Structure formats: C-alpha cells, structure tokens
Amino acid sequence: PPHQDGSRAGRDRKKTVSFSSSLSEKKISSAADCIHSMVEGSELKKIRPNSRVYQRYYLLDAGLQALCWEPSKKESDKARISLASIREVRTGRNTETFRTSGVYEQISEDCAFSIIYGDVYENLDLVANSAEVANIWVTGLRYLMQYGKHALDMLASSQDSLRLNWLEQLFSSAADSDRQEDVEEGIRLQSAIKLIQSVNPGVSGGKVEHRFKELQRVREKINERVTKQEFIEVFHDFCTRPEIYFLLVQFSSNKEFLDTKDLMRFLEAEQGMVSEETSLKLIQSHEPSEEGRQQGYLSLDGFTSYLTSAECHLFDWEHDTVCQDMSQPLSHYYINSSHNTYLIEDQFRGPSDISGYIRALKMGCRCVEVDVWDGPDEQPVVCTGHTLSPPLALRCVIEAIGRFAFVASEYPLIICIENHCSLRQQKVMWKHLTDILGERLYTNPPHEGDLYLPSPHTLRHRILLRGKKLGPGSDGEDGEVSEEDEGAEMCQRMKSNNPPQLPFKRFQLLKELSDLVTLCCSVGFIDFPTSSKNQKPWELCSFHESLAVRLAGDSPGDFVNHNKHFLSRVYPNPMRIDSSNMNPQDLWKCGCQIVSMNFQTAGLMMDLNTAWFRQNGNCGYVLRPAIMRQEVSYFSADTRDTVPGVSPQLLHVKVISGQNLPRPRGSEAKGDVVDPYVYVEIHGIPADCTERRTRTVIQNGDNPIFDESFEFQINLPELAMVRFVVLDDDFIGDDFIGQYTISLECLQPGYRHVPLQSLTGEELPHAKLFVHVALTNRRGGGKPHKRGLSVRKARKGRDYTALRDLGVRVVDEVFKMAAPLLREATDLRENMQNSVALFRELCGMSAVANLMQCVLALGSRVSAPDGTPLLLFDLRDHYPSLEPQGPLPDVLRRVVSTYDMVRREESKQLICFLFLRVYITEIHQKEGKTKQKLAKKITNQSATSHLLCT
C-alpha cells in the first residue's frame, strides 16, 4: 500500500517495528532536504474548477528545471510546468478554484497549496496527504524560484553553517571538560546526553542514549564515547523541529536563517510587535552561535529558543497585573468565590481544615463561606450542620482569614456568615470578628439614597460580612430573622427524592452582629418584579444552583437585568455531596457575580474558574461585559445567535504540534507509548459553545505534528474561554494527558506555546502545544466555502441595532438625530470589511490575515519576468497607495482597484465618525443638564457608551 505521505519511496518501504523513530526517517530541516524529497516525488490531489479531484504523482525532473506529473493525457513534454514560469507558490485554500469548489470543506487548509504560473497567471491547485508534504513542496519550489537549477549547489556550500560551527564549538568545549586531548576520539556518552538535554530539557536521557547506541550498532561500533559526527546526527534528531524550520523559511527570504529585517517582519506580521531594536535584542538573547550574534542572524536553534521562551507564551503577561477599571460598583464585577471553604474533600463525611481557607485565599478567592454553630466550652465552631464533617474552632478560622485575606489581592474580601448560634455564642463570634479583623471590617452603613455599591478600588483592604440583618424597627435590641441552612436542605435531599419543602425557621440575631453587616445584607428571593420594586443595592439574594439554572432558562433577560443592580450569589446544588462543581459560565452568562465553587475539586469547572479570574491579575474581580452593565442594553443569556450591539469575532486556531507529552497517569497497558490528539473547546454563551478535534498521531509523544486549523465564530468575546485538552487515543477509553484553559481576552496572537497542566492544575514539566492564533472581525457574510462578493450580505439584508427610548426627551431627541448616521456607520463598517476581505482573497491570504501579511504576500509577485517591478507602494500618503508601473495583468489590476476601494471606505468612515463626535458632544451637554432625571434611568455608564456600543 502507498505510504501515508504519498511518496514513491514509501511504497517500497517495509513496515518495521521499533521503540524509537526509524533512523531512515530523517527530519526535514533544510531546503536541500525538501528538494531531494521533491525529486523522489509525492502523490498529490489536483482540484479542478468543476470540483473534480484527480490523483496524480508529481515530481521534479532530475535537472531541477520543471515540475512533471503522471499519469496524464497530455504528451509527456506538455505534462510539465517550467519552474521559470512560476510566479507564486501560495499556501492554503486561497484561490478562486478552491473557494468555489464543492469539496472546499473536505480540504484541509494546511494541506492545500497553489502554483500560480504563466503570463496569464494560471493556477494549479493541489492538496497533499499531510501538512508536512505541502510544506516540503512550498519551501522547495520557493527556493528553486529564487536560485534556479543551481539551488542545490548553492545550498550545499552554505548549508547549516551557523548550526554546524556552533555544534563543533559545543562539542570541543565538552571534550575539554572531559580532559580529552584528541577531539576526534569523541566525548563521553553521558556528556553528549547532557549537551542535548541542555538544548531540549524535555527529552528523556534514556531515549537519547538508546539512539546513540542504535546508531553505533548500525555502524558496528559500540563504546562509551561519542564522535563529533554521531553527536551532530543525534542532536539533529532530538533538537530539530521541522514545523519551526518551515516557519523560519517562510519569513527568511529563502535563506536558512532570519536576519534582523526578516525577524522584524515576522514580529510585526504575526506576533504583534514592531521594532528593529526588538529584533536585535531577541537575536542577542536567543541566538546560541557567536557568529550569528555578531552578524545579526537568528538560526533555526535561535528561532526555536525564542518561540519556546516566556515571550511566546499564549497568555498575555499584561494580564498578570490588574488591568481593568476597578472604580465601578461592586455589582459590576464577577467575584471569585468558594463554597464551604473549610472542607477539603466531600460535603458529607470529608475532613475540615484551616488549609481550605489558606489555599483558596492564596488562589485569589474573594468570597469565603463560614458556617457557624454552637460549640463546646462556649466557643463557636465552623462546620456543615447535619453532616459528619468534623468542626473547626471559629477563632482559628477567623485568624487564618485575617492572616491571608490580602496576600493575593488588595481588593475587598467577602465573608459569607451562615449563623446558627445561640445569642450567647453570637457574642463570642462578634468578639472574635472585631478583635481579630479590627478596622479592616467595613461597617459604614449605606446611605438610603445610594443607587450603587462602592467600588472594589474604594473598598481595598476591607472585609465585608455577608449575612442576615435586623430590620429598621429593632430599636437597638436583638431580634428575630429567618435562618439560612444549606446543610439542612442537603440532608433532607439525601433522605428523600422529592425536593424539600423547608419552612422558614427563625432565630434570634444579636444586634451587634447585625450592625457588622452593611453592604451585603442577605435577603430572600421572591421574584424579579418584587426585587426590582423593593430590593436595595446593598441587599443580595442567594440562589441554589437548581433555582438559578431554572431562572436562567425561564427568564434569562430578567435575570441579567436584576444583576445590573444587585449582587447575586449562587451555591452548588445540595445534592453535590461529592463536592463536584457546577459550570460557572451557566451563571456568569446571566450576570451572577458570586458563583461559589468547591476549590478542593479539580476538573473542567475549576479550570474554567481559575482561567477566568486570571485575566485581571488574579485579583478575584473581573469586570462583567458592558452589555450586562449598561442600563439601556438588552442581553438574553440563552442567545444562540449574534448579540445585538456586539461585533462577533472570528477565532482561527491552528494546532501545529506537541512537545514532551507524558504518558497518562495510571496508564500501564501501552508502556511509554502515547497516541495523542487535541480537543479545542470554546466555552461561553450557548451560541459560542463548541469543540473541534485533531486527528490522532500514532505512537509519538515527543514531537507529534498535528497541523490542523479550526475557525470559531465568537459572538460574545468578553465571556468566551478557549480550552486545549490533550488525550491519549486508546481502544478501551481515552486517557487525559494535559489541558490549558485561557480567557479569550488573554490570548496573544501569532505563534505561541501552550504549557500543559495536569488534572489538578500543576504545570507538566516541558509538556507544551505549539499553536497559531489569530482573531479578526467576522466576515461580511456568505458561507465558508463560497467567499466571493456575489454571496456577501446585500445592504438591504443588514441588521441594524434599534435604539431604545430612555424616557428623557432631550436625550432621546439627540439619539433619534444620530440614528441615520449610526445606520450609515454600520453600512460603512460592513463595506470596509467586505473590501478588506476581497483584498485578502486577491492577495491569496486566508480570512484571518492582516493587511501587513497581505502586503508581504503581494510583494512576492509584483515583478515582471525580467525582474522589473509592476507595482510600487507610494509611502508619502498617510495611507500608502499602489502605483502601477505600466500595463498590469488582470489579476493585479483587480488587486489595485480593491486596495483603492479599501482606502475610500476608510476615508468615508473617518468623516462619518467626525459627525458622530459632534452628536456625542451634544449628548454630553444634554446629559449634564438633565443629570438628576438620568440618575434614576441610566447606570453610571454615560449615554455616550450606549451610543458607541450600538
């Protein structure tokens, strides 16, 4: 049967079994490797405009003059394309033939490429059996286009000189430390292994040793010394990553290294960085060879070092510190919250421990739970009532909270007190709270006219108590309030299948303890109209999970509106006695601020919670999406479509490879072998929740190549998270290898490494995924496999967001005057996106390419056959223009006209926004005059933000 890469050599190769990679399977790491592979040839699929697919065998002729294929109905001298006639080699499904093909969806973006040739720019559209084969052809053809039939001679004279010189120096220094006078005799085996591990720390020493001995066995020479040639060969095997080599040559102007300009172009087009100075610094800090550093060159090893460094982490390090506005009302934030913080295992029999509080607070938790009951010797204790969990002394709990309250965050800590004590022990509780927490307790009563809670910034280093409070008629005396008892509900649910009908028990509340509760007074929930009419901003309702989920399903819009004004706390279903967790996003999408999690239980739900709160310096507070805060906005939590007023985003994720993937814990059946595959999951509102998976790579955990791309439309980016999960494909059941979860807000674009974490959240040593990420605005319409202008949304079919009246006449009138301009701005934005999309297509780029990448691609094919430029960029204008240098082929004429259209649309947008600014200024003035009227109807967001959001 044919080899999976379709090569002729593969057809005759016998299948062998080996515990290490076959010595004959060399990693591609040079253009010469690519050209030799193309001379051998590959099976490729040819895509025709009529959607027909032909299997052909393509190869380079021995003289490196032409591309040939077989079988063909043409005469052999015509079944060929002269390399001299090739204008461009284009990657991906980015020609008209691909886009209009009925098999577009079945073609992998990473396996497709096109050869544009001839005076009229004909295209040959091909699909390889793997991304690696496509990369080999694209790289080899681009080198041959530049250097012609002398490419191999040219490459042989300069091949890998930076790497070879550096490795020879490395080898010599190892020989010196071994006190080996004759370098040719080699160095000790263990020294060679350590050298390789110094460059690739994740590689197993046993595997490197096995490879050295396998190599020596083939050469019928076994000893404990390694020659320079053997060292270089094994180094190449373990420290070469072909996927990084193919990326390097893509930006290297067909050289085997990056100079400062190449690197700057890569940083600008892909990594979102711009500075030649940055390029030089990166080369000095990552290039291992002294020669490379002196000349300003980054070799394959230097490029690999940069891409695996902290600078290329997927997580944007700016989010490691507080980066959101912390001056808004407390109700405008999600708050990291733990449930039954004192438990470290299950809810019913599990042990209690102070460490539960310490761990949660160190993780950035800002809301802890304390269930207090009467204890022996007149000392209150903390435990879950009606269960077998052992109690903790309240004093010890308060001391631990006081000691660690602000270790991870300076923002306010909420202590949820569930009080079941007698008056006598309530006095002891009050004394512990006031003595230990002292002035950090926030006891200032709210003003009756306050419409909002204070901000996290205002409440820094303060502790708020959430609990029951006596009514205004208590006249300085203790009184009765209704008791909260989540434990009793759990106990009743365990004894009966029917939902419990709990009576509202009442108990005596100490007046001094009541006075400590000011901004988080616990009240019962009746319904949304009652809350809207009677609830105060400093009163909050607690919902058990089942009720909250039911409200989210029955009244999603009302729930969101309720949470614009009031804090809502949701605690897990009492039947979760195993301390499993609910999905916090089911409640976050309704705007619920305090979703209590069992921090002691690892898994998907805690992964989501941890990743979510990491986006704002892990301070425990994350600002909710604007659409959930603004009074005049409307959002329904169960939306399965685009969100009015929010521009959807297109997320493109390419899973390229994995590194050092460990064997799953507890998996013994397959020995050290893993067969990994990757799930990419999107978590967010229902419209965004989806997942895609890569193929399985057989028996390779060291450097599996996936090379698969996925696109996701994200309708509410502010609430979306991305999760990478790596699994081991097994006959019985797929085992978990590692995962990484990240908020969409924290994604860095470009080529990034993803550090994998274990089930319990610890980082797996040296285990990573290599991915490419791009995020752009959604396309202007049309299905993915039909992307021409003809199928884009017509102007009359566009959706325009309606404006709601505020009930304040002077402001409503200004909004009505601005409405036509808003519609025009929507049209201009859509037209601009359509023009940019068409420009991308004509430049042969995918939907997520930026304009810089389009210009770079265009630059490779704007020369006539004699080398004279057909187009020049005029950089004198603010927005560069394309200047034809004579008659242009039809395809380039279309590029110029489309680029001009992009420039015109941007000019129109600027004019439109200038007019809108006039209206915004007028609205500010009207807002100032009608401030008191607006106060009751608008949140602290100005009317301006409503206008811009719409």
Side-chain angles (χ1 to χ4, degrees), residues 524-535:
F525 176 77
I526 300 170
D527 54 39
F528 290 125
T530 303
S531 291
S532 178
K533 186 177 179 183
N534 300 325
Q535 195 169 332

Side-chain angles (χ1 to χ4, degrees), residues 643-646 799-803 822-823 826 829 946 949-950:
V643 179
V646 176
D799 294 323
Y800 299 99
T801 303
L803 297 175
L822 283 170
R823 289 174 66 88
T826 302
R829 185 183 63 186
H946 159 60
C949 177
T950 309

Side-chain angles (χ1 to χ4, degrees), residues 201-381:
V203 70
S204 153
K207 287 184 178 178
V208 178
E209 182 176 350
H210 181 85
R211 181 63 61 88
F212 274 123
K213 290 183 174 176
E214 191 178 34
L215 197 61
Q216 291 179 343
R217 223 175 10 253
V218 168
R219 293 173 181 170
E220 299 178 347
K221 168 212 142 187
I222 301 286
N223 61 37
E224 287 299 308
R225 303 204 78 77
V226 171
T227 67
K228 182 163 61 176
Q229 186 55 43
E230 288 166 349
F231 169 70
I232 289 173
E233 201 165 330
V234 175
F235 180 93
H236 179 86
D237 288 341
F238 282 102
C239 300
T240 299
R241 288 179 48 187
E243 73 275 27
I244 292 182
Y245 168 73
F246 287 126
L247 179 59
L248 179 141
V249 296
Q250 186 181 329
F251 285 88
S252 68
S253 311
N254 301 328
K255 301 185 297 291
E256 300 288 80
F257 57 84
L258 296 169
D259 59 28
T260 51
K261 283 194 167 48
D262 296 329
L263 183 56
M264 189 172 74
R265 198 160 59 238
F266 170 75
L267 296 175
E268 189 173 4
E270 293 293 351
Q271 308 297 87
M273 299 162 64
V274 264
S275 163
E276 191 160 358
E277 189 182 337
T278 304
S279 298
L280 286 166
K281 281 182 182 174
L282 287 179
I283 290 171
Q284 294 305 313
S285 56
H286 291 288
E287 174 53 40
S289 71
E290 190 175 341
E291 180 189 354
R293 291 194 298 273
Q294 287 174 351
Q295 297 184 27
Y297 294 160
L298 194 65
S299 66
L300 176 57
D301 298 294
F303 195 40
T304 304
S305 169
Y306 164 64
L307 288 172
T308 52
S309 69
E311 295 159 271
C312 289
H313 196 297
L314 182 66
F315 184 86
D316 185 347
W317 297 111
E318 286 187 10
H319 290 268
D320 260 353
T321 54
V322 175
C323 53
Q324 295 180 346
D325 176 10
M326 301 302 288
S327 62
Q328 300 201 27
L330 212 59
S331 58
H332 285 186
Y333 298 84
Y334 296 113
I335 303 172
N336 198 358
S337 173
S338 75
H339 175 243
N340 287 356
T341 317
Y342 43 87
L343 295 178
I344 57 173
E345 285 183 21
D346 68 63
Q347 304 288 310
F348 195 66
R349 293 182 178 82
S352 307
D353 200 285
I354 299 294
S355 65
Y357 288 98
I358 297 171
R359 179 171 177 268
L361 291 169
K362 282 184 172 180
M363 289 174 69
C365 180
R366 294 288 83 197
C367 180
V368 296
E369 188 173 5
V370 182
D371 285 7
V372 194
W373 297 78
D374 282 352
D377 304 322
E378 298 298 324
Q379 285 296 321
V381 294

Side-chain angles (χ1 to χ4, degrees), residues 58 311 512:
Y58 290 82
E311 295 159 271
E512 291 92 335

Side-chain angles (χ1 to χ4, degrees), residues 251 265-266 269 851-861:
F251 285 88
R265 198 160 59 238
F266 170 75
L851 285 177
M852 161 65 81
Q853 291 162 326
C854 293
V855 169
L856 288 175
L858 193 60
S860 68
R861 55 189 164 99

